[in-house]
Amino acid sequence: MKVLLLNQCFWPDVMATAQQLTDLARGLTERGHQVTVITGRRGYDDPELKFQARERRHGIEIIRVRAIAAGKSSRWRRALNFASFLAAAALRLVLIGQQDVVVALTSPPLVSWLASLFTRLKGGRLVFWVMDLNPDEAIAAGWLKPESSTARILSRLLQSSMRHAARIVVLDRFMQQRVLQKGIAPEKIAVISPWAQAIHFDQQGREAFRREHGLMEKFVVMYAGNHSPCHPLDTVLAAGLQLAGKKDIAFCFVGGGSEMRKVKEFAQSHELPNILCLPYQPQEELAAVLSAADMHLVVMGDKFSGIVHPCKVYNVLAIGAPLLYIGPGASPIGDIVRRISNSATAMQAKHGEADLVTRIIGDAAIAFALKRENHLHSQTRAANLVETFSKATLLPMFIHEIETLDARSQPVTEEAAKLQSA
């Protein structure tokens, strides 16, 4: 089977969608399928990074197109970046022959519509992998007014993509409900969560990272990944300010995104030595970086349940570190916290509850110090969830959805939905 994958980022980019798509590409080639990827030539978060225009890796044909890198400091700059990638990808698609299946993600937002146009003109089946929903995200963030002409046009294009898709893969039951509300037939939708990367707790890497960044004697609270307005960090920063006098507690923000500048400015303006900001780290060091934390933060904005999905939580589960979730209870992460049902492993707070977050972190730091004094291992694993959200469990489900497009049956979808339900 000839399979075309379409997304703005792919290996060696470290963005979550790049990692997930790379896993899918490798899984498909290992099954004997002919896989081609059309993606961007520049790093998604760091446009200074440039990758080879064309290469073949693990049997995957990778075609990287040029696009304008105007930065992300304003909406018009983002729009220019997206539009230039779509134009370059469209020109490349003219040269691509018919594919049996096209898998389109959501970066940039209209790439699924471009894929639907390609399959209409050249044939093949479209699988729409919904990593986030736009214009829903832009409307929830206040970037677009629901009644604006731009929002209406984007909504029509999204629905056009969904109607034409042979299969729509969503990440959780809340996203499934939003797609159903758009008038999409339920039998067209599969619920398959993102999966954890193939990582595990790395004691040696943990010590090396903590030693390099002066964290050896600290209780480290980490937020790792995309710093986006969809994941507001105001409550975390307020807690960091309250804990500024606790020299044994450090906050480590690792990654990129438009909100990273806000974190840096907050730390600088309040002269907070307990906040450390680092860029995205190399993919091969992911286990070491995540293992360095004593508590991980997972954050979702109140308006974004069913629109975005914080993939970082699955790597946190794989590492086995305690997590503190800040966001709405009616969300996929809220479901996971309830399934863990262990107050020492998974905790939850609402946005604005800075005092509660401060208390949770302070109590966890004290408990960690007692464990360290008694030489007790602090790693905790929700073993059943680690298996549920592993690549070994979920990637074959996704591949099955692709391989059975012409002989559609429901058991896999039902199984996936059960795995995601609380």
Side-chain angles (χ1 to χ4, degrees), residues 49-67:
L49 289 175
K50 292 183 180 180
F51 311 124
Q52 290 184 38
R54 191 159 189 161
E55 65 178 305
R56 190 171 184 84
R57 185 174 188 269
H58 299 300
I60 306 162
E61 187 70 22
I62 307 171
I63 302 170
R64 300 189 179 93
V65 299
R66 295 180 181 273

Side-chain angles (χ1 to χ4, degrees), residues 41-318:
R41 192 172 179 186
R42 292 178 180 269
Y44 185 81
D45 189 67
D46 182 5
E48 296 300 315
L49 289 175
K50 292 183 180 180
F51 311 124
Q52 290 184 38
R54 191 159 189 161
E55 65 178 305
R56 190 171 184 84
R57 185 174 188 269
H58 299 300
I60 306 162
E61 187 70 22
I62 307 171
I63 302 170
R64 300 189 179 93
V65 299
R66 295 180 181 273
I68 295 172
K72 300 181 180 180
S73 58
S74 64
R75 274 174 256 171
W76 74 264
R77 289 179 182 274
R78 285 173 172 266
L80 182 59
N81 295 341
F82 291 160
S84 66
F85 173 79
L86 289 170
L91 289 174
R92 175 55 64 175
L93 286 171
V94 171
L95 304 176
I96 297 287
Q98 179 181 338
Q99 304 289 305
D100 298 305
V101 177
V102 178
V103 180
L105 279 68
T106 49
S107 178
L110 291 179
V111 75
S112 62
W113 182 79
L114 182 62
S116 71
L117 182 61
F118 174 83
T119 54
R120 283 184 176 103
L121 294 174
K122 294 194 176 184
R125 310 293 296 279
L126 171 61
V127 175
F128 185 8
W129 194 357
V130 185
M131 290 293 185
D132 51 46
L133 275 173
N134 266 299
D136 304 52
E137 180 181 346
I139 292 170
W143 301 329
L144 281 179
K145 294 182 178 180
E147 68 277 6
S148 68
S149 58
T150 302
R152 289 198 298 268
I153 291 170
L154 291 175
S155 293
R156 290 194 198 102
L157 293 175
L158 174 64
Q159 288 192 310
S160 174
S161 302
M162 289 183 168
R163 285 195 301 269
H164 181 70
R167 206 69 177 145
I168 299 171
V169 178
V170 298
L171 308 186
D172 57 65
R173 65 187 180 95
F174 300 93
M175 190 175 285
Q176 179 189 37
Q177 188 59 37
R178 284 185 178 268
V179 173
L180 287 171
Q181 290 170 357
K182 296 180 185 295
I184 302 303
E187 61 270 15
K188 184 182 282 193
I189 305 169
V191 182
I192 302 178
S193 167
W195 46 81
Q197 299 300 298
I199 60 174
H200 54 80
F201 182 77
D202 180 357
Q203 181 66 38
Q204 184 176 357
R206 167 187 167 88
E207 294 175 0
F209 182 90
R210 291 169 69 96
R211 187 164 46 248
E212 179 182 356
H213 298 289
L215 302 170
M216 286 300 291
E217 302 303 320
K218 308 282 188 180
F219 180 81
V220 178
V221 182
M222 181 178 290
Y223 180 89
N226 186 24
H227 294 58
S228 160
C230 304
H231 314 295
L233 297 170
D234 304 79
T235 302
V236 176
L237 294 176
L241 182 59
Q242 292 186 31
L243 291 166
K246 299 286 187 180
K247 295 184 179 180
D248 61 329
I249 299 176
F251 289 79
C252 186
F253 296 87
V254 184
S258 59
E259 295 297 286
M260 177 61 94
R261 182 173 64 179
K262 180 179 179 179
V263 175
K264 293 178 179 178
E265 290 174 349
F266 184 91
Q268 184 176 10
S269 63
H270 291 88
E271 298 181 347
L272 298 179
N274 61 334
I275 291 182
L276 172 66
C277 295
L278 299 170
Y280 278 110
Q281 303 297 294
Q283 177 66 19
E284 60 271 17
E285 297 177 17
L286 179 62
V289 174
L290 297 183
S291 298
D294 302 303
M295 174 183 286
H296 276 278
L297 299 172
V298 181
V299 181
M300 173 184 281
D302 288 332
K303 298 179 181 179
F304 295 94
S305 183
I307 296 175
V308 300
H309 189 108
C311 301
K312 64 173 63 65
V313 68
Y314 305 110
N315 287 334
V316 172
L317 292 173

